[in-house]
Amino acid sequence: MKVVVVGGGPAGYVAAIRARQLGLDVTLVEAERLGGECTNYACIPSKALLHAAEAYRRAVSSPWITGTVSFRWKEAVQWKEKVVEKLRRGIEFLLSAAGVEVVRGLAKPGPGKTVEIDGRRLQYDFLILATGSEPVGLRELPFGRRVIGTREIFSLEEPPASVAIIGGGASGVEIASLFSMIGAEVHVVEAMERILPGLDPEISRQMERALSSRGVKIYTSSRVVKGEEGEGSVKLRISSPGGEREIEAELAVVAVGRRPRPGPFSAMGLEVDGRGAVRVDESMRTSVPWVFAAGDVTGPPYFAHKAYAQAKVAAEAIAGLKSAYSPRSVPAVIFSDPEVVSVGMTEEEAVAKGYKPKAVRMSFSALGKAVATESEGGFAKLIYDAESRIILGVHIVGRGVSELAGEASALVEFYATVDDLALTIHPHPTLSELFAELAEAALGKPVHIAKL
């Protein structure tokens, strides 16, 4: 059975490898770099530079380190490129080891069950679309020399002394964290009434406080009405509740979201939703029976880990296995400073779905590991159903909390109760202790959280 996978990003290369593991004949077509947006331009580059900036921030703020410390942007970018190259070569090795044929070029649908790449025609029994997504632009602020997107910001030759970020979602907040940590003047313009508008309101407020404490200027309920590029800066006129104002910065970064990119395959008559995402069922099959889709092209959330999961399901379904993509929750992680983890429902969402939610909250000041590592400025919140005591959501903000997302996701996915969690021993001193502490608080017997 012949399978052609279009796109070599997180969905594409994982689908190709899983299909080969199941004995299928697989060809993967990639127009640019293997690894896709995540490896080459987004997830990995941003995390590498954020790691470098965090090391710098800790050094300059530590009273036991003396002397002059400076952040060398060019060297950090060069190191980031080495990280990206290492991971990209790793993907190439995995595909080769699995026996996946990789064809370079831009694919388009051919007659019947074929795709065409630069005059070459590939026949298939099944097609997996993993063509990803593309950034959304702003009509009022078109891309230019000083107006760039989230892809370009991590490869600048020199860091800007000032930057205006349009969009206060995950990408915008990560970029604001990076440049504020290395001393740039940062402005964030968000159209909604708070940054990180899709997350728990307390998380949003904590993030706003953290960024503001480093001098980031945040304009919520605001939008850009006009942008003007100059020789050395870009001027933005923004409309806010208090009236119009002007922001001037060396660079403006548009980070207002992404949209699915089916590309030339939209001509196949695939059913799409209102935002252009390819519709799929639980097996990732599209409206065309022999075409499957996975990853960003199927719509939000635009996470690599979601793409991985969908890709495996698509390959397994094609191979005839019973496989379905039906998670209770897809964990959201924001690698800002502080980091954010959001899994499952907020209290408002739980009420809307008919639950009777309760919430318990704890400050990181109750965690020995957080105090010992100067990471007290965070909190965790556990949402659970008052009747069944099933855990419905976990929301955390603090330094280093991204590594807690897996356990939070498992708790929600497997219908764990606060009783189960309270009986699970967590090692001390770690941030993961917060799970047991929250569970005991939910049961009315907290040890390290004072009952007031």
Side-chain angles (χ1 to χ4, degrees):
M1 190 183 297
K2 179 68 178 178
V3 177
V4 170
V5 181
V6 179
Y13 82 78
V14 170
I17 291 171
R18 179 53 55 90
R20 279 296 298 138
Q21 290 172 341
L22 296 170
L24 305 179
D25 181 8
V26 183
T27 299
L28 183 149
V29 185
E30 171 55 49
E32 297 182 22
R33 294 176 169 184
L34 289 172
E37 193 77 17
C38 180
T39 300
N40 295 288
Y41 308 108
C43 317
I44 299 304
S46 64
K47 278 52 178 183
L49 289 175
L50 280 160
H51 168 70
E54 170 67 8
Y56 170 72
R57 184 199 64 78
R58 283 189 176 274
V60 298
S61 63
S62 297
W64 51 85
I65 295 178
T66 60
T68 301
V69 179
S70 60
F71 188 84
R72 297 190 294 179
W73 174 265
K74 285 185 178 180
E75 285 81 354
V77 170
Q78 289 169 0
W79 173 74
K80 176 264 296 183
E81 289 296 332
K82 291 179 181 178
V83 170
V84 170
E85 176 68 15
K86 182 177 182 179
L87 291 173
R88 187 167 58 241
R89 288 189 180 279
I91 294 169
E92 291 173 356
F93 171 78
L94 290 172
L95 289 166
S96 176
V100 175
E101 179 189 14
V102 176
V103 175
R104 304 286 183 162
L106 183 64
K108 63 180 181 180
K113 292 184 178 182
T114 66
V115 295
E116 296 180 346
I117 310 100
D118 299 328
R120 180 180 176 183
R121 184 170 291 174
L122 297 176
Q123 194 153 3
Y124 60 81
D125 297 297
F126 290 96
L127 177 68
I128 300 178
L129 290 181
T131 49
S133 61
E134 60 190 7
V136 175
L138 285 176
R139 185 179 63 255
E140 299 85 358
L141 191 63
F143 293 116
R145 191 166 59 88
R146 294 194 172 275
V147 179
I148 61 176
T150 54
R151 175 182 280 203
E152 296 83 8
I153 190 65
F154 302 119
S155 296
L156 296 172
E157 291 186 5
E158 297 288 345
S162 56
V163 59
I165 303 161
I166 318 306
S171 294
V173 165
E174 287 186 5
I175 296 167
S177 295
L178 169 63
F179 286 101
S180 64
M181 280 195 284
I182 63 174
E185 176 187 309
V186 180
H187 304 263
V188 177
V189 181
E190 169 54 48
M192 303 298 283
E193 60 184 19
R194 56 188 173 92
I195 59 172
L196 302 179
L199 301 186
D200 182 276
E202 280 194 84
I203 295 283
S204 297
R205 288 193 291 271
Q206 180 76 4
M207 181 58 66
E208 184 165 346
R209 284 193 293 268
L211 291 176
S212 297
S213 71
R214 291 204 299 272
V216 177
K217 298 176 177 63
I218 299 172
Y219 313 88
T220 53
S221 301
S222 302
R223 63 184 182 87
V224 175
V225 294
K226 186 179 180 181
E228 181 181 342
E229 285 196 54
E231 183 61 31
S233 66
V234 57
K235 293 181 180 179
L236 307 178
R237 192 162 75 239
I238 65 171
S239 175
S240 298
E244 290 193 353
R245 68 177 73 200
E246 189 175 90
I247 298 173
E248 185 172 5
E250 279 190 31
L251 287 177
V253 182
V254 178
V256 294
R258 304 186 66 83
R259 61 183 165 221
R261 183 184 56 198
F265 292 91
S266 58
M268 294 183 71
L270 303 171
E271 185 179 341
V272 298
D273 66 14
R275 36 182 132 188
V278 175
R279 291 188 185 275
V280 291
D281 62 16
E282 286 190 344
S283 69
M284 309 311 298
R285 190 188 300 266
T286 72
S287 57
V288 177
W290 57 87
V291 179
F292 289 69
D296 284 7
V297 74
T298 67
Y302 299 117
F303 300 149
H305 46 280
K306 183 206 80 168
Y308 292 158
Q310 290 184 332
K312 294 168 188 173
V313 168
E316 289 164 1
I318 288 172
L321 303 180
K322 289 185 177 179
S323 189
Y325 176 77
S326 184
R328 287 196 75 207
S329 176
V330 179
V333 181
I334 302 172
F335 295 86
S336 46
D337 181 45
E339 293 180 341
V340 173
V341 168
S342 182
V343 179
M345 301 177 226
T346 62
E347 293 169 82
E348 294 79 4
E349 290 168 341
V351 169
K353 292 190 176 182
Y355 291 99
K356 295 180 179 178
K358 283 190 173 183
V360 285
R361 184 186 188 280
M362 72 171 293
S363 167
F364 273 27
S365 60
L367 293 170
K369 176 66 178 292
V371 175
T373 57
E374 300 181 290
S375 304
E376 298 173 68
F379 72 88
K381 180 189 285 189
L382 184 77
I383 314 295
Y384 64 99
D385 181 51
E387 296 178 351
S388 65
R389 301 215 282 235
I390 288 173
I391 296 168
L392 303 174
V394 180
H395 309 280
I396 315 170
V397 58
R399 288 193 179 126
V401 301
S402 58
E403 297 301 329
L404 303 178
E407 180 171 354
S409 186
L411 292 172
V412 173
E413 190 68 31
F414 295 117
Y415 294 85
T417 65
V418 291
D419 308 78
D420 298 325
L421 185 54
L423 292 172
T424 304
I425 297 174
H426 287 74
H428 174 78
T430 65
L431 295 182
S432 69
E433 288 179 273
L434 66 85
F435 291 110
E437 298 288 351
L438 287 168
E440 290 192 334
L443 296 173
K445 50 181 183 182
V447 174
H448 294 97
I449 305 173
K451 293 181 70 176
L452 299 177

